[in-house]
Amino acid sequence: EDKVVQSPLSLVVHEGDTVTLNCSYEVTNFRSLLWYKQEKKAPTFLFMLTSSGIEKKSGRLSSILDKKELFSILNITATQTGDSAVYLCAVVNQAGTALIFGKGTTLSVSS
Amino acid sequence: EAGVTQFPSHSVIEKGQTVTLRCDPISGHDNLYWYRRVMGKEIKFLLHFVKESKQDESGMPNNRFLAERTGGTYSTLKVQPAELEDSGVYFCASSQDLVPVSNTEAFFGQGTRLTVV
């Protein structure tokens, strides 16, 4: 059965710290892996990864995929209180029609 | 441009009652998805529309759930009769093309929190 496992489930850090969020997956016929940030309500898109070893960056956030070891990491450097959110990892299902989500990592950044 | 909107934002109903959730996708998006997050669990896929057609409804939990998308615009998800285990947050998402095909993203709505008491 296709599945996504994220770790840790929650994390509390101080402003300025760097964090690494983990996502491992098992899926038949891998297509792509996506990261979302959910602050209050709607998950908002961060990255889509399809190729191994190519880092995607957006400001202080970056992500990379390892298709051999079946995992991805999301890095956030110099964290700010505004980074506090649930970070969701998802892979596209075998049929290519839907996303399979992990439980998410709840990040709390204190000032 | 308006995003994906869902109505209501929160609904509390009694077991056995009927509830209808509505989703208005981004204008022009042919693909519409329903997902659900039950407390403590991951977000799970329910079904996928392409325009007015159900492309994949493999995630629908049982026949108490009925989704429609008449005219290929907004969609409704009806739960009848509601049971306690139906409580959760129901998300709707839309995309112009299939996510993995065109490297596009799916845009999510804020979700409807359903509480069945």
Side-chain angles (χ1 to χ4, degrees):
Chain A
E1 184 185 340
D2 297 342
K3 67 178 182 181
V4 174
V5 178
Q6 292 186 247
S7 65
L9 286 180
S10 69
L11 195 55
V12 180
V13 300
H14 293 295
E15 263 191 319
D17 289 347
T18 293
V19 298
T20 299
L21 310 183
N22 303 292
C23 174
S24 63
Y25 63 89
E26 292 176 27
V27 64
T28 306
N29 188 25
F30 176 84
R31 295 169 182 264
S32 54
L33 182 146
L34 296 88
W35 284 96
Y36 283 85
K37 177 183 181 182
Q38 184 179 14
E39 289 182 79
K40 290 185 181 172
K41 298 270 180 108
T44 53
F45 174 80
L46 293 175
F47 300 111
M48 175 184 280
L49 303 157
T50 54
S51 302
S52 264
I54 299 174
E55 185 183 53
K56 292 220 172 175
K57 273 183 80 75
S58 177
R60 296 175 294 102
L61 276 66
S62 63
S63 183
I64 198 160
L65 174 69
D66 185 330
K67 289 165 73 173
K68 184 181 174 188
E69 300 297 330
L70 307 182
F71 78 89
S72 173
I73 59 171
L74 176 68
N75 274 323
I76 309 174
T77 58
T79 52
Q80 302 171 357
T81 54
D83 295 327
S84 297
V86 176
Y87 289 84
L88 298 164
C89 175
V91 293
V92 177
N93 70 350
Q94 181 182 3
T97 57
L99 298 174
I100 302 166
F101 283 88
K103 289 187 178 181
T105 294
T106 300
L107 174 65
S108 299
V109 181
S110 59
S111 56
Chain B
E1 178 186 319
V4 177
T5 55
Q6 293 186 244
F7 179 84
S9 56
H10 191 182
S11 179
V12 181
I13 61 170
E14 289 185 325
K15 176 182 168 181
Q17 290 184 326
T18 297
V19 64
T20 301
L21 314 181
R22 174 172 169 142
C23 168
D24 285 78
I26 292 173
S27 178
H29 281 192
D30 288 341
N31 293 276
L32 186 148
Y33 313 82
W34 283 99
Y35 289 86
R36 174 175 77 168
R37 183 169 194 159
V38 172
M39 185 176 292
K41 306 271 188 179
E42 55 279 311
I43 298 173
K44 290 225 167 178
F45 168 77
L46 296 178
L47 89 159
H48 168 216
F49 283 99
V50 177
K51 296 185 180 177
E52 67 274 10
S53 300
K54 290 176 188 173
Q55 199 72 12
D56 181 354
E57 51 184 330
S58 60
M60 294 288 261
N62 51 61
N63 59 10
R64 295 185 292 103
F65 288 74
L66 175 65
E68 293 180 320
R69 192 183 182 195
T70 308
T73 53
Y74 71 90
S75 174
T76 58
L77 179 65
K78 182 162 73 173
V79 185
Q80 179 182 29
E83 297 290 342
L84 299 179
E85 64 264 24
D86 300 333
S87 297
V89 180
Y90 290 77
F91 288 101
C92 176
S94 73
S95 64
Q96 190 152 18
D97 299 299
L98 273 182
V99 169
V101 171
S102 63
N103 208 37
T104 188
E105 61 178 285
F107 294 85
F108 280 79
Q110 294 186 96
T112 293
R113 180 174 295 279
L114 174 65
T115 304
V116 183
V117 298

